[in-house]
Every structure is written in structure tokens, then in C-alpha cells.
């Protein structure tokens, strides 16, 4: 029994997986992005999620052979690593686990833990790639001065476009009414009150506005469409940098996939695909094989020394729904 945990800026997902490729239980809890509330938040989220999947499966944490916990921002504060590494020990009651950044969940799920590069664009953005046993991260420098192409990045540029349209500094488009209606603005300047005073600049709340930029683009808003196109190009550049730094020869084919809610926008996916192939003609872009949380469970099995067989992986692909223990 392998446990995968995929933390994120908006939610944390849990998946219990058998060695035969059947999903035993799944659960979703709150975000495990702990920068605003401290590491105790991670403890609470993991206790709730592990308790939920174990209850569904009819097991105890002691029955979990190995677990992988992908925690957002892991590795970005050196002083926190030891504390984060220790959290699952109290939750599980044993040491059969590994903790790392949640970027590994997206990579493992999208590519089935095979060599290649996965680009993640959810609340934040980054790439993770592996080649010949070497792993590399590019991007993910926070919403303040990084995370290009992420939902937060898109939303902030959407808000900037809204302010310029409202002022008359650029032509008005559908984005104005899309945001006015969604946020129920009595006056355009109320946007400041909502984002700064009510939300306190919360990255998750702001990132959740990203689909509204997509909606405006669907309605013909040129500024919104330009934002989504630029997001795709930024994400492609992350992949190209990762390929170069991992030392892929020019003639070697590179598997590429993606994960995260930003890729739900067709405009972002298409811009990403187009720009990717202008940067290097050896990219083999594939749709994600499994979700990030399933990827976390697959990675747990790999870390335990028992990666799933080809038959088990095929079973997992064809029967994705959870079954009773």
C-alpha cells in the first residue's frame, strides 16, 4: 500500500495505491502552503488527509508500506527542511516515507516517473526534469518576482489590464464586465478594497481569478488573449532552460508534459505547444498520464524499491476510480 500526497497552494490531495495499480482511497484537504501560517499547518493538513484515506480504506497508517509527501515550497527555506522532514513521522508513526517539493508529484504523474521534463502551472509555476538519474528544478521563485505563466501571474496581469481599461489607458474589452460581474463591484475602485483589504493579497484568492481572464479571452478580449499567449511562452521557456541545463544533446528526443490548472485554458496550452517547438524540434509533448497525486503514490512505490509493473500501470490508466479496501 503506497500513499501519495500532493500539496499545493489551494488544496492538498491524498491517494492510497495498491501495487496492482488499483486506487484504494482518495481525499482532499486544505492548502499545505505554510508560509503564512507556519509549519503547524502542514501537520494539521496531513493528519486530516491521512486519517481520511485510512478510514476509507479500513487500515491504519502502520499498514502503509511507503509514503511520499510533496509539500509546496519545500527546499525554499533551508531552516525549515528538518522540521518538514519530521512532520510525517508523527502522522504515520513510522519512518517509511520521503518528503520533497510537490513538483515531483506533477513530474511523476505526467511522465510516469520516466526521464523528461514536466512544467507545472497552478497557483505558481516551475519545471522539474530528470535525465540519467539527475533531477533539476527551474523557476518557482514566488509570486512576488517569479512564477511566470502561473495562475497568479495571469490573474495579476488581468487585474492590471482591468485598471488600465477602467482608467481609459487602454481600450476597454470584455474583461471589464467579466470582473465587475464576478466580484460584484459597485464601483471599479472597489477592486482595491477586495484584493488588499478583504483578501489581504492572498495568493490563492488572486490566482483563482485566472479563469476569468480565460473567459474574457473567449469573449474576444485582445488584452486577455495576449496575457494567456505570453503565459504559454513563459512556460515553454522554462522547459527549454531545463533541457539545456540537464545536458540533453541536440539530437536527443525530450519527453515533455504538463500539470496544473492553468493548462485547462486551451489558449495557454496552444501557445505553450507552438512556442515549445520553435525553441527545439526534438520535444515530444505528451498529455499527462496520471494526476499529480497519483504521481506521488507512484513515486512512493519507486522510492520503496518496488515501482509498479507495466501491467499495474495499465490497470491504473484504465481504472482510475477508487475502490474499497
Amino acid at each position: 500500500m503506497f500513499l501519495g500526497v500532493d500539496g499545493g497552494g489551494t488544496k492538498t490531495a491524498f491517494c492510497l495505491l495498491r501495487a496492482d495499480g488499483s486506487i484504494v482511497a482518495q481525499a482532499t484537504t486544505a492548502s499545505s502552503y505554510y508560509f503564512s501560517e507556519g509549519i503547524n499547518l502542514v501537520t494539521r493538513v496531513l493528519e486530516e488527509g491521512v486519517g481520511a484515506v485510512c478510514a476509507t480504506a479500513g487500515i491504519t497508517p502502520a499498514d502503509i508500506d511507503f509514503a511520499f509527501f510533496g509539500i509546496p515550497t519545500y527546499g525554499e527555506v533551508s531552516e525549515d527542511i528538518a522540521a518538514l522532514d519530521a512532520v510525517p513521522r508523527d502522522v504515520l508513526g513510522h519512518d517509511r516515507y520521503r518528503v520533497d517539493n510537490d513538483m515531483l508529484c506533477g513530474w511523476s504523474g505526467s511522465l510516469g516517473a520516466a526521464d523528461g521534463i514536466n512544467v507545472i502551472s497552478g497557483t505558481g509555476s516551475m519545471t522539474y526534469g530528470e535525465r540519467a538519474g539527475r533531477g533539476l528544478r527551474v523557476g518557482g521563485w514566488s509570486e512576488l518576482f517569479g512564477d511566470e505563466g502561473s495562475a497568479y501571474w495571469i490573474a495579476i496581469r488581468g487585474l492590471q489590464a482591468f485598471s488600465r481599461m477602467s482608467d481609459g489607458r487602454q481600450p476597454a474589452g470584455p474583461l471589464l464586465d467579466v470582473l465587475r460581474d464576478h466580484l460584484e463591484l459597485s464601483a471599479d475602485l472597489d477592486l482595491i478594497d477586495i484584493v488588499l483589504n478583504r483578501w489581504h493579497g492572498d495568493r490563492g484568492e488572486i490566482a483563482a481569478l485566472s479563469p476569468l481572464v480565460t473567459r474574457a479571452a473567449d469573449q474576444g478580449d485582445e488584452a486577455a488573449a495576449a496575457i494567456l499567449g505570453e503565459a504559454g511562452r513563459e512556460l515553454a521557456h522554462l522547459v527549454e532552460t531545463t533541457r539545456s541545463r540537464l545536458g540533453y544533446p541536440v539530437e536527443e528526443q525530450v519527453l515533455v508534459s504538463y500539470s496544473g490548472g492553468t493548462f485547462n485554458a486551451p489558449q495557454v496550452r496552444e501557445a505553450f505547444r507552438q512556442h515549445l517547438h520553435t525553441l527545439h524540434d526534438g520535444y515530444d509533448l505528451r498529455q499527462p498520464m496520471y494526476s499529480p497525486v497519483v504521481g506521488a503514490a507512484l513515486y512512493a512505490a519507486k522510492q520503496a524499491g518496488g515501482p509498479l509493473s507495466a501491467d499495474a500501470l495499465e490497470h491504473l490508466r484504465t481504472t482510475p476510480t477508487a475502490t474499497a479496501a
Side-chain angles (χ1 to χ4, degrees):
M1 197 81 72
F2 304 108
L3 172 65
V5 180
D6 174 38
T10 55
K11 63 182 176 63
T12 302
F14 298 74
C15 176
L16 267 176
L17 180 67
R18 286 196 184 98
D20 65 1
S22 59
I23 294 175
V24 181
Q26 298 185 84
T28 302
T29 60
S31 166
S32 45
Y33 181 83
Y34 70 92
F35 276 2
S36 59
E37 297 189 41
I39 292 175
N40 285 339
L41 169 68
V42 179
T43 302
R44 295 196 302 271
V45 167
L46 296 189
E47 286 177 343
E48 180 183 350
V50 171
V53 292
C54 285
T56 299
I59 64 171
T60 69
D63 297 314
I64 297 171
D65 293 283
F66 203 89
F68 175 74
F69 296 85
I71 304 298
T73 73
Y74 181 92
E76 296 172 13
V77 181
S78 296
E79 294 177 353
D80 290 348
I81 291 176
L84 290 171
D85 283 343
V87 168
R89 184 177 299 112
D90 294 332
V91 176
L92 296 174
H94 58 75
D95 292 323
R96 300 187 301 275
Y97 67 86
R98 179 183 166 186
V99 184
D100 209 315
N101 194 280
D102 62 307
M103 65 187 178
L104 271 76
C105 304
W107 166 79
S108 179
S110 292
L111 295 173
D115 278 5
I117 301 168
N118 184 63
V119 57
I120 306 152
S121 181
T123 305
S125 69
M126 67 179 73
T127 55
Y128 179 76
E130 284 197 8
R131 177 177 179 270
R134 180 189 173 206
L136 177 71
R137 163 183 169 164
V138 173
W141 287 90
S142 87
E143 67 273 16
L144 291 181
F145 50 89
D147 286 349
E148 295 85 353
S150 68
Y152 183 95
W153 186 94
I154 290 170
I156 286 294
R157 277 148 188 78
L159 294 175
Q160 290 171 342
F162 178 92
S163 70
R164 295 176 67 88
M165 290 178 185
S166 178
D167 283 346
R169 288 179 286 152
Q170 74 181 56
L175 182 65
L176 274 175
D177 285 336
V178 168
L179 280 172
R180 284 168 178 162
D181 292 345
H182 179 79
L183 296 173
E184 300 179 344
L185 299 178
S186 298
D188 286 355
L189 283 174
D190 286 344
L191 182 66
I192 298 173
D193 177 49
I194 291 173
V195 175
L196 298 185
N197 298 330
R198 301 185 203 175
W199 294 353
H200 302 289
D202 181 82
R203 70 195 292 264
E205 294 275 14
I206 293 171
L209 298 176
S210 175
L212 301 179
V213 179
T214 301
R215 185 186 305 172
D218 288 339
Q219 296 178 15
D221 193 298
E222 294 182 1
I227 291 168
L228 298 178
E230 184 61 23
R233 290 187 289 274
E234 289 284 357
L235 296 170
H237 185 60
L238 286 173
V239 172
E240 175 66 2
T241 303
T242 309
R243 180 191 69 83
S244 175
R245 290 189 57 199
L246 279 174
Y248 275 96
V250 173
E251 67 278 6
E252 186 173 340
Q253 188 179 64
V254 185
L255 292 182
V256 177
S257 193
Y258 51 87
S259 55
T262 303
F263 283 101
N264 290 333
Q267 301 95 324
V268 174
R269 290 200 311 272
E270 181 58 21
F272 172 70
R273 184 192 66 80
Q274 289 184 2
H275 196 57
L276 193 67
H277 292 302
T278 67
L279 295 172
H280 179 62
D281 59 9
Y283 285 123
D284 181 5
L285 180 60
R286 301 184 179 185
Q287 291 185 345
M289 296 176 64
Y290 310 101
S291 67
V293 68
V294 171
L298 291 175
Y299 197 69
K302 184 176 181 179
Q303 290 295 299
L308 268 64
S309 67
D311 287 344
L313 289 172
E314 180 60 25
H315 177 64
L316 180 60
R317 285 175 63 85
T318 55
T319 56
T321 56
T323 57

